[in-house]
Amino acid sequence: MCKLCVFAGTTEGRELVEFLCTQNLTVTACVATEYGETLLKPRENLTISAQRLTEQEMEALFSRENFDLVIDATHPYASVVTENIASACEKAGLPYQRLLRTGCGAGEDAVFVPDIPAAVAYLNGTEGTILLTTGSKELAKYANLANFADRVYARVLPMEDSLRLCQSAGLKPAHILAMQGPFSVDMNIAMLKSVGAKYLVTKDSGTAGGFDEKVTAARTANATLVVIGRPPQREGLTLPETIDLLCTKFDFHRRPRVTVVGIGPGSREAMTVEVRRAMEEADCLIGAKRMLEAGLRPGQTVFDAVSPTKIAEYIQNHPEFRKFTVAMSGDVGFFSGTKKLLPLLENCEVTVLPGLSSMVYLCAKLGTSYEDVRPISLHGRDHDIVPDIKKYRRVFTLVGGDNGMGVLCRKLTEAGLGTVKVSVGENLSYPQERVIVGTAAELSEKIFESLSVALIENTSADPIVTHGLPDEAFQRTESVPMTKSEVRSVCLSKLALTEHAVCWDVGAGSGSVAIEMALQAVCGEIYAIERKDTAVELLRENTSRFGLSNMTVVPGLAPEACRELPAPTHVFIGGSAGNMRQILEEILDKNPNARIVATAVTLESVAELTQCMKDIPFTFTEVVSMTVARDRKAGPYHLMMGQNPIFIFTMQGGNRQCGHCAP
């Protein structure tokens, strides 16, 4: 097992230690203070040295431990420490590797000075409050500034040594900002504005040191950025290059870190703090163009993609990046691509951070709750929302496409739902946000942005949930038979339908059973098979009359017409045209576990079904003989008129027992 030593005085150094601790080796991490030790996570294969080491102490440590490699990840300004590490490695005969912190350009509007005395000389010729972010160790060098105690605020680490140095330099307690980073752009802006800073003094600490965030914040807050130039550095490698070297040299395995975040409606202001931080700290930011613009920082690599497959392939094919952030619209668990992406990231270290969904945002804008709202997405999905509006009092929907909201309102109006209340949220969280409320009919002629959502409220939605619709609810003709309400109700009970059932109605006739199947199995698929042309037309009329999108009319004779249909979970056989055995065999061939209910009114059909029950190894069978009488007015009296008796056969295939079956 190899042994590595890392001088981890920077963010990159700590990230390198975390990576090394995932490998089969032992790591010694050297930090200068106990505070630095708290920033490293304890690991079984990690030893931490929390003290300042002289060159002689470094040499003794190297000779004693005989490391395979020493990595110098100290701060760019700690040039003396760097020279000591390199010298101690040479004397101990150990290989040395410098990890460089990459620098970033501050732009033409920044002031560059070579060192602190030059910064003091420049600032003495100015007026206004100064925010120092260069640490506490060299704070005393700024004491020569005119009006130092009044002009200067210093952001330092929350440590006793730091506070003592601030006080020794003459800084007022109220001007000491003891805080631990990292600091986002927004946090830097807030700090600059809170002290009224006209100047922000910093070192070029690189991307990982928060330099980019300071540059952006200074520009936003109209503060002049004063950058103290770096001392000359030894040649070395960046963090990704260092990891690549280690993977090649020691056969380490690298797992990219991927943070999947929900950015909320879209604006930076609507994001959580941890989501903004994850986007700012990413080596590579991935997402749709709109999402990338919300989190882009100077110099950040981005990849415009929404396909989970493309995102996963990009991460796999770009090992030069260690930290990826994938931006998802809204919340990661609310109609998000996160569901499909996560299984593709099995070889990555994945963190998922939630965001504010557009449903929550819109309901807050409307001052209403959302616990009783039915969420539905029409964005990139083929879904008929009309049955949902009829069924649920409150429906929230995501809508995409060119004026998709206007198209939706027209569709609702044409379906007889023009009076439902529609609250449209357009460009939520952006400066051009607007919320428009009206009926579907009123909004049907308006033009809406593609980035729109809606809360639809139908106070009349309270559909009947029991089966057995009255016969008058269906279009009927004398030549097409229909299963009457009482018989239909019993047959549907025997079928024991589920919400996602795939149903066949063989010999569908007018479609009364198929339609009630479709109303109950709202997430399922219903196929109405009928051989007579007049019945097929009637079937289509009734399907349109009930506005059913989950029901398909299949013209033809069973079982031939069923060959291309998906395997059924439930089947009702109202007519077999003499092909009962072949139909049953076709059903069980497609799904041996199918539940079947068949009706018979003639003795021949009863005999045929009875024989099939004997010959086919069903796990459960039941026969019910049913006679129904209906009242008929005869003058001042009402007489009960008997209907034809009917036999209802229930058969369960396979080894699975339904909850309605006998034990």
Side-chain angles (χ1 to χ4, degrees):
M1 182 182 294
C2 66
K3 297 167 62 177
L4 299 185
C5 177
V6 180
F7 282 79
T10 59
T11 302
E12 292 96 336
R14 292 189 291 272
E15 290 186 4
L16 178 61
V17 169
E18 289 183 22
F19 166 73
L20 292 174
C21 287
T22 64
Q23 308 300 319
N24 184 27
L25 79 163
T26 59
V27 185
T28 297
C30 297
V31 293
T33 63
E34 292 181 359
Y35 179 73
E37 180 180 8
T38 65
L39 299 178
L40 292 170
K41 298 177 183 178
R43 304 289 183 99
E44 290 184 3
N45 59 340
L46 174 63
T47 301
I48 302 175
S49 170
Q51 59 179 323
R52 298 184 187 280
L53 300 177
T54 65
E55 181 182 339
Q56 291 74 25
E57 289 171 333
M58 292 178 188
E59 184 181 349
L61 172 66
F62 297 166
S63 299
R64 182 173 67 252
E65 297 296 334
N66 193 29
F67 296 112
D68 293 282
L69 180 65
V70 176
I71 302 171
D72 175 13
T74 58
H75 199 279
Y77 290 88
S79 54
V80 174
V81 178
T82 288
E83 293 305 318
N84 288 343
I85 297 171
S87 177
C89 282
E90 184 177 356
K91 292 176 181 177
L94 299 183
Y96 166 89
Q97 180 62 53
R98 174 66 172 149
L99 191 158
L100 298 178
R101 170 171 281 186
T102 55
C104 302
E108 296 179 357
D109 52 348
V111 175
F112 295 87
V113 292
D115 50 31
I116 293 177
V120 171
Y122 167 76
L123 292 168
N124 267 329
T126 65
E127 294 181 356
T129 303
I130 302 165
L131 176 60
L132 296 178
T133 62
T134 53
S136 60
K137 294 178 183 177
E138 298 179 299
L139 189 60
K141 295 181 180 180
Y142 292 93
N144 295 327
L145 268 169
N147 299 322
F148 170 79
D150 294 322
R151 289 188 68 190
V152 173
Y153 286 79
R155 188 168 75 191
V156 299
L157 290 172
M159 299 169 57
E160 290 184 10
D161 287 346
S162 300
L163 299 176
R164 186 168 54 253
L165 289 171
C166 289
Q167 292 172 344
S168 298
L171 206 61
K172 295 179 179 180
H175 286 215
I176 302 172
L177 308 176
M179 303 176 70
Q180 164 65 30
F183 300 100
S184 67
V185 172
D186 292 340
M187 292 175 69
N188 282 321
I189 293 172
M191 203 169 300
L192 286 166
K193 290 184 176 180
S194 68
V195 303
K198 297 296 183 183
Y199 297 89
L200 172 62
V201 181
T202 181
K203 296 176 181 178
D204 185 354
S205 52
T207 299
F211 185 71
D212 295 339
E213 287 78 5
K214 294 177 188 177
V215 172
T216 304
R219 287 175 181 159
T220 305
N222 294 319
T224 299
L225 190 71
V226 180
V227 183
I228 299 174
R230 292 186 179 194
Q233 290 197 72
R234 282 176 166 266
E235 291 185 359
L237 301 174
T238 63
L239 177 59
E241 292 170 341
T242 301
I243 292 178
D244 286 342
L245 172 69
L246 295 173
C247 289
T248 302
K249 185 177 180 66
F250 299 105
D251 196 27
F252 292 159
H253 299 286
R254 179 177 180 178
R255 298 185 70 200
R257 292 183 185 177
V258 181
T259 304
V260 183
V261 303
I263 68 167
S267 70
R268 287 181 59 85
E269 290 73 16
M271 297 180 196
T272 65
V273 173
E274 62 179 354
V275 165
R276 287 203 302 267
R277 182 181 300 124
M279 295 178 73
E280 290 166 0
E281 294 179 354
D283 299 329
C284 179
L285 182 62
I286 303 175
K289 184 178 180 181
R290 173 177 70 89
M291 304 173 204
L292 298 178
E293 292 172 347
L296 195 62
R297 62 168 169 76
Q300 190 172 39
T301 300
V302 298
F303 178 57
D304 183 355
V306 294
S307 163
T309 302
K310 288 185 178 180
I311 292 172
E313 288 177 351
Y314 184 87
I315 292 172
Q316 184 68 30
N317 295 332
H318 287 79
E320 68 271 21
F321 302 120
R322 290 199 65 240
K323 292 163 61 175
F324 295 87
T325 294
V326 181
M328 294 289 183
S329 178
D331 180 41
V332 290
F334 189 74
F335 298 110
S336 169
T338 306
K339 183 178 181 180
K340 293 182 179 180
L341 177 62
L342 291 181
L344 305 177
L345 301 178
E346 293 180 349
N347 295 324
C348 304
E349 297 177 26
V350 180
T351 302
V352 180
L353 301 178
L356 184 65
S357 75
S358 52
M359 181 177 75
V360 174
Y361 188 100
L362 178 60
C363 287
K365 283 287 181 179
L366 296 171
T368 185
S369 62
Y370 57 88
E371 67 265 14
D372 61 337
V373 174
R374 173 79 170 185
I376 292 171
S377 177
L378 302 179
H379 184 57
R381 298 165 185 257
D382 184 15
H383 178 82
D384 183 6
I385 197 174
V386 170
D388 300 293
I389 306 301
K390 290 181 177 179
K391 182 176 181 180
Y392 300 103
R393 291 178 181 269
R394 306 176 83 213
V395 173
F396 172 87
T397 182
L398 301 165
V399 180
D402 185 21
N403 194 31
M405 189 61 68
V407 173
L408 171 60
C409 289
R410 285 195 293 276
K411 181 176 182 179
L412 295 179
T413 303
E414 292 167 0
L417 296 170
T419 60
V420 299
K421 180 181 177 182
V422 182
S423 301
V424 179
E426 190 179 67
N427 294 316
L428 294 179
S429 82
Y430 289 100
Q432 64 271 36
E433 168 187 296
R434 66 172 182 162
V435 177
I436 306 168
V437 181
T439 66
E442 291 169 346
L443 302 182
S444 62
E445 299 303 320
K446 292 187 178 295
I447 304 298
F448 295 93
E449 296 282 346
S450 59
L451 196 60
S452 296
V453 298
L455 178 66
I456 305 171
E457 297 173 274
N458 181 11
T459 56
S460 301
D462 193 16
I464 296 173
V465 294
T466 55
H467 41 67
L469 290 173
D471 295 342
E472 294 76 18
F474 304 94
Q475 289 278 66
R476 303 164 62 187
T477 63
E478 290 295 331
S479 61
V480 179
M482 183 179 76
T483 303
K484 301 298 190 295
S485 176
E486 296 81 10
V487 176
R488 188 183 338 120
S489 182
V490 174
C491 290
L492 289 164
S493 293
K494 296 297 182 181
L495 274 170
L497 294 174
T498 62
E499 188 175 4
H500 295 268
V502 177
C503 308
W504 292 1
D505 180 357
V506 180
S510 62
S512 63
V513 174
I515 285 169
E516 294 225 42
M517 284 176 164
L519 292 173
Q520 292 186 34
V522 292
C523 297
E525 302 171 36
I526 287 74
Y527 298 90
I529 300 99
E530 175 56 52
R531 65 189 177 94
K532 296 180 180 178
D533 293 340
T534 53
V536 168
E537 289 303 314
L538 189 59
L539 264 172
R540 288 176 173 150
E541 287 181 25
N542 278 322
T543 301
S544 176
R545 185 175 188 177
F546 282 85
L548 299 172
S549 61
N550 60 339
M551 179 170 155
T552 302
V553 177
V554 182
L557 178 67
E560 288 80 6
C562 305
R563 297 276 155 78
E564 302 301 321
L565 298 182
T569 58
H570 300 75
V571 178
F572 174 71
I573 306 175
S576 65
N579 298 327
M580 182 64 70
R581 182 178 295 273
Q582 294 92 321
I583 292 171
L584 291 174
E585 289 173 349
E586 179 69 22
I587 294 167
L588 296 175
D589 183 58
K590 281 183 173 285
N591 179 12
N593 295 315
R595 186 169 177 84
I596 305 165
V597 171
T599 57
V601 293
T602 67
L603 294 178
E604 288 77 11
S605 296
V606 171
E608 184 181 17
L609 273 167
T610 302
Q611 190 61 47
C612 288
M613 285 175 51
K614 291 180 180 179
D615 296 342
I616 299 173
F618 292 108
T619 57
F620 169 78
T621 59
E622 177 189 75
V623 182
V624 173
S625 175
M626 182 177 176
T627 302
V628 176
R630 287 189 175 187
D631 71 309
R632 182 175 67 83
K633 192 172 182 180
Y637 301 100
H638 288 78
L639 300 176
M640 298 304 295
M641 302 296 294
Q643 307 296 308
N644 290 333
I646 191 167
F647 292 83
I648 301 173
F649 290 74
T650 303
M651 298 158 278
Q652 180 73 51
N655 298 317
R656 177 180 60 83
Q657 277 202 342
C658 169
H660 287 246
C661 299

